[in-house]
Amino acid sequence: ARKAQAIWLKSFSPFLGRLCPICRMADSKGEGTKPSAKGTKRPESGNAYGSGPAYWNKRYRTDPEPFEWLKDYAELKELLEEAIGNKRDLDILHAGCGNSLLTERMYDDGYRGIVNIDNSQVAVEQMAARNAELRPAMKWLQMDATAMNFPEESFDVVLDKSLLDTMACGDNASEVIGNYIQEVQRVLRPNGLFLAVSYGCPGTRVEYFKGPRLSFLLQEKELKGSGSGNTHYAYLLWKVPGKVKAAP
């Protein structure tokens, strides 16, 4: 089974590597830029996004002001509520949280079982300190999303807002993303939701969700631009219970 996965990833890798939207758009259109203290925009290299924790630790130390990638909670609220049946008593994981305000807004809207993870220790410490008094039930953990420490079937929902895009900018992107999505599947409960919000159109993303050891029901939604004017995409994946065998 692992050999089959490796063959699939290797065969698909060249195609996806050429079509990494966050890398192309960051370099060509200023996507992923972040306001500086003076209000001007500081361009970032898209390729740097996938270079690992050292890049992100430096970035968050230099500019700790929270930054929202792609869509904020107000723009995603209706989509999320529809997907989960407007329930608030769920265990939710935000993978690659960075210093996004997404889960702060969710917490204030009644969600309490929220765990945030990121591979940047700096981001995790900053956000934990920021929320310690106002949102004491929310958790912040430094963790690699491709090798999570959670037991199987720990969460009802996994949220990804451009983490997959970031991985697409790095080396061995297909292998890394394949490991990541398998981990998401592992920690999701049966019928649990994986919501990935991405720069990438279906032609550059859907095949990631079709690995030989994955079992999801997929729905795609186009999210029209608002603030930046750019179109983004939501991939809603529900874990199909009982169809995935343990790795040998």
Side-chain angles (χ1 to χ4, degrees):
R2 293 185 185 278
K3 184 177 180 181
Q5 180 198 19
I7 292 172
W8 175 82
L9 290 169
K10 184 177 181 181
S11 66
F12 197 58
S13 179
F15 171 71
L16 292 171
R18 294 195 302 270
L19 296 174
C20 172
I22 191 171
C23 299
R24 292 201 323 272
M25 295 177 75
D27 290 333
S28 65
K29 294 185 179 180
E31 288 288 346
T33 57
K34 179 177 176 64
S36 72
K38 296 182 179 179
T40 58
K41 287 195 170 185
R42 183 178 68 248
E44 302 280 7
S45 166
N47 292 327
Y49 296 150
S51 61
Y55 166 81
W56 292 104
N57 283 333
K58 180 179 179 181
R59 173 169 171 151
Y60 293 128
R61 284 194 191 98
T62 302
D63 200 346
E65 181 183 355
F67 177 72
E68 203 64 74
W69 289 93
L70 308 185
K71 304 294 184 186
D72 60 21
Y73 177 55
E75 295 172 289
L76 295 174
K77 178 179 178 178
E78 183 177 350
L79 174 69
L80 181 60
E81 289 179 343
E82 180 180 344
I84 63 177
N86 202 19
K87 299 176 182 177
R88 294 293 192 273
D89 57 339
L90 300 173
D91 293 314
I92 298 170
L93 173 66
H94 185 194
C97 61
N99 57 10
S100 165
L101 301 181
L102 173 68
T103 52
E104 289 189 11
R105 302 293 180 257
M106 291 177 64
Y107 189 99
D108 295 345
D109 197 26
Y111 297 93
R112 289 294 183 269
I114 301 175
V115 178
N116 302 273
I117 66 169
D118 200 280
N119 65 1
S120 169
Q121 185 67 37
V122 173
V124 166
E125 290 175 354
Q126 289 175 349
M127 296 303 286
R130 172 185 168 92
N131 288 279
E133 293 186 10
L134 292 177
R135 303 171 184 92
M138 192 152 56
K139 297 179 182 179
W140 304 85
L141 303 172
Q142 191 280 328
M143 193 178 297
D144 180 354
T146 69
M148 292 185 267
N149 298 331
F150 304 115
E152 293 184 7
E153 301 182 0
S154 293
F155 298 98
D156 301 296
V157 179
V158 177
L159 303 174
D160 173 329
K161 210 150 62 72
S162 218
L163 174 58
L164 191 152
D165 295 335
T166 299
M167 291 177 177
C169 294
D171 296 332
N172 304 311
S174 293
E175 181 178 358
V176 172
I177 293 172
N179 292 337
Y180 165 53
I181 297 178
Q182 282 199 43
E183 276 292 273
V184 169
Q185 179 174 260
R186 184 184 67 81
V187 302
L188 269 177
R189 293 175 180 141
N191 300 308
L193 172 68
F194 175 35
L195 171 58
V197 181
S198 172
Y199 281 114
C201 65
T204 67
R205 290 295 179 261
V206 168
E207 288 300 323
Y208 283 132
F209 309 129
K210 295 182 178 179
R213 301 200 58 77
L214 300 178
S215 186
F216 289 107
L217 294 176
L218 170 64
Q219 181 181 6
E220 306 161 19
K221 285 186 178 288
E222 186 174 299
L223 306 175
K224 295 298 184 180
S226 55
S228 67
N230 294 307
T231 297
H232 303 131
Y233 302 87
Y235 300 96
L236 299 97
L237 298 103
W238 286 271
K239 179 178 175 178
V240 177
K243 288 197 173 183
V244 182
K245 297 179 180 179

